[in-house]
Amino acid sequence: MAKYQVVFLAFLAAWGIASPLRAQDREGTARIKIDPGQPQQLIQGFGLNYTGPYFRNDQKAMFDMLIDDLGATMFRVVPYLVYSNWEETNDNDDPKVMNWEYYNDRYSTPIFEATWNGLRYLNSRGIRPMIALMGPVPAWMMDDKAPPPQHKVCQEKVLPSLQGHLNPAMYDEFAEEVVSMVEYARNQAHVDFEYFSPFNETDCYPPEGPRIDPEEAPKVLDAVARRLKKEGLGDIRLAVADNAVITNDYTDPILKDEELMKQVGVFSFHTYGEESVGPQVARVRASKHPQVPVWLTEYGDLNDEDKTFDNQWKHFSLAANRRALTALNQGASALFFFDAFDDYEECARRLCYYGLFCSSSHIYSPKKSYYATRQLYHFVRPGWRRIAATSEAAGLTLSAFQGSAADALVIVGVKEGGPAHFRIELPPTAPAPTNWELYETTRELDCQKIMTVPVREGAAEIDLPREAVFTLIGRSNKAE
């Protein structure tokens, strides 16, 4: 790990990320400096998670709002509740031959049909969703022979018989199961998609995924990649490895497998805490495959049972969006908030309240976190590029972006205390907007336009409340 700390520090400097912020005189003016001359990663999009079987036609208005108003362009969809065990009995005794009489029956059940219906609706809206598996595999694919884990896991004292370890002798059977589902989705359900995540949080077993250790992951993925190619699905890209503990190194073993890397489309990670994607991005950038993007496929907050407004504001609005900007500042190209709407989580065995929408008798309403998330998702579009942004202000996390036009600029920030008055500066040689439009989500406001601030002599000055998620949109006399 020590060598990655050195690489990570060098990575921070190269990617225009500010070092930990120093305290500033609260009575004075704090500076926000953005520099389009330091371009960083391309933004591929922003999206949401949801559990596919919960889709109903009366949710279409909610999904339309998530797409048209929030700005979501990507969805990560779990097709079978939060389990990967639909092949409860082996389809046959030969993992090389799919028993389509068996699989056609499984994939035409109401659980899967609701998923296909929702995915096709997303297709009709121009979105190619990611299909992502979660949860344990069938019991007949498991064993209890794995040694104690050498990496960090969510629950350290789970008995071997309860860990749900994927038996190495069953890798081909697992590949047959999951690829049969992908093949049905593509050829029978007529879903258009590009990315597939074959397992989830295998370091958070047993509820979130089967136990698959870092050194085992490439072998499992090799089996899946081989089967995809055998079935004529080689164009589907793998999203790997969706680990729960973001510091675990599943990345290097996968990067070292040259044949597997031909099928890998993205490295994907989760975080609900303060650690983020930076060390993983550094691993990828230092490898033979630096072009592979890194996505944060789950983020948000886990304190969902506290349904007070203060928790919704502090954790799901401020903290969650701080995590989003931190991941972008450390090199993530896409983000997926967890979750789109409140639902019953099978792994938790209870109603969960992670969503941007709440439901009352199937009437869906946006929460405060929806508007806080809109401050980023609505104003920064796919194809934009992150650019360097720095500030010495305490309590401020910010990112800046540039569109296709040189003067198309957006700044998104999360303010948690610190100074109130800010001066926004660009380098003298950079194309500057003529004014900045300020939007804020606060305890009282929901992504509301506050004012238009003129740029004078290359700078603009604004006041911000003590706590806010805010967006500054650069406008010029020629609109983008």
Side-chain angles (χ1 to χ4, degrees), residues 82-84 133-137 142 154-155 162-166 174 198-212 241-242 244 250 270 347:
V82 287
Y83 295 102
S84 297
L133 300 183
M134 293 185 183
V137 298
M142 302 176 186
C154 295
Q155 302 177 78
L162 301 177
Q163 291 177 3
H165 179 250
L166 181 59
F174 174 75
F199 50 71
N200 173 74
E201 294 191 353
T202 57
D203 49 359
C204 204
Y205 51 81
E208 295 289 347
R211 178 180 171 182
I212 300 173
D242 281 318
Y250 283 77
H270 303 171
C347 58

Side-chain angles (χ1 to χ4, degrees), residues 69-280:
D69 181 70
L70 182 73
T73 58
M74 311 169 89
F75 284 83
R76 178 174 178 259
V77 183
V78 181
Y80 189 71
L81 300 175
V82 287
Y83 295 102
S84 297
N85 64 351
W86 59 85
E87 191 175 330
E88 294 177 354
T89 58
N90 198 346
D91 70 304
N92 56 31
D93 293 327
D94 188 352
K96 297 180 181 178
V97 178
M98 293 180 180
N99 179 354
W100 277 108
E101 181 181 11
Y102 178 94
Y103 286 129
N104 282 332
D105 182 74
R106 299 301 294 139
Y107 301 136
S108 58
T109 59
I111 289 176
F112 277 109
E113 286 290 354
T115 294
W116 310 142
N117 188 28
L119 295 177
R120 286 191 294 264
Y121 185 70
L122 292 177
N123 283 165
S124 76
R125 294 303 321 275
I127 290 174
R128 303 178 74 195
M130 175 198 292
I131 295 179
L133 300 183
M134 293 185 183
V137 298
W140 59 271
M141 292 187 190
M142 302 176 186
D143 70 17
D144 58 0
K145 309 299 184 186
Q150 301 302 303
H151 57 297
K152 188 174 180 180
V153 296
C154 295
Q155 302 177 78
E156 296 182 353
K157 297 182 179 180
V158 179
L159 293 173
S161 61
L162 301 177
Q163 291 177 3
H165 179 250
L166 181 59
N167 184 344
M170 293 292 172
Y171 289 173
D172 286 338
E173 289 282 9
F174 174 75
E176 180 192 35
E177 179 196 25
V178 302
V179 173
S180 71
M181 185 274 298
V182 168
E183 185 172 353
Y184 187 96
R186 171 72 65 86
N187 297 331
Q188 300 295 325
H190 305 294
V191 176
D192 182 19
F193 64 101
E194 179 180 6
Y195 292 100
F196 172 51
S197 173
F199 50 71
N200 173 74
E201 294 191 353
T202 57
D203 49 359
C204 204
Y205 51 81
E208 295 289 347
R211 178 180 171 182
I212 300 173
D213 293 348
E215 66 275 9
E216 297 176 310
K219 300 169 188 174
V220 180
L221 293 168
D222 276 329
V224 174
R226 286 194 304 269
R227 196 56 184 260
L228 285 169
K229 293 173 185 174
K230 180 178 184 293
E231 302 301 329
L233 300 169
D235 61 309
I236 292 175
R237 315 303 294 167
L238 294 177
V240 297
D242 281 318
N243 37 303
V245 182
I246 200 167
T247 54
N248 280 338
D249 184 12
Y250 283 77
T251 306
D252 272 335
I254 294 170
L255 284 166
K256 291 174 183 176
D257 189 328
E258 291 296 326
E259 187 62 28
L260 173 59
M261 284 303 299
K262 295 176 183 178
Q263 202 73 32
V264 171
V266 63
F267 282 96
S268 49
F269 305 94
H270 303 171
T271 188
Y272 294 90
E274 301 312 307
E275 293 174 303
S276 196
V277 300
Q280 304 288 1

Side-chain angles (χ1 to χ4, degrees), residues 24-42:
Q24 172 132 354
D25 180 5
R26 291 175 181 265
E27 300 300 320
T29 297
R31 287 179 170 80
I32 294 174
K33 298 181 180 180
I34 65 172
D35 187 357
Q38 295 186 49
Q40 310 300 329
Q41 80 273 23
L42 198 70

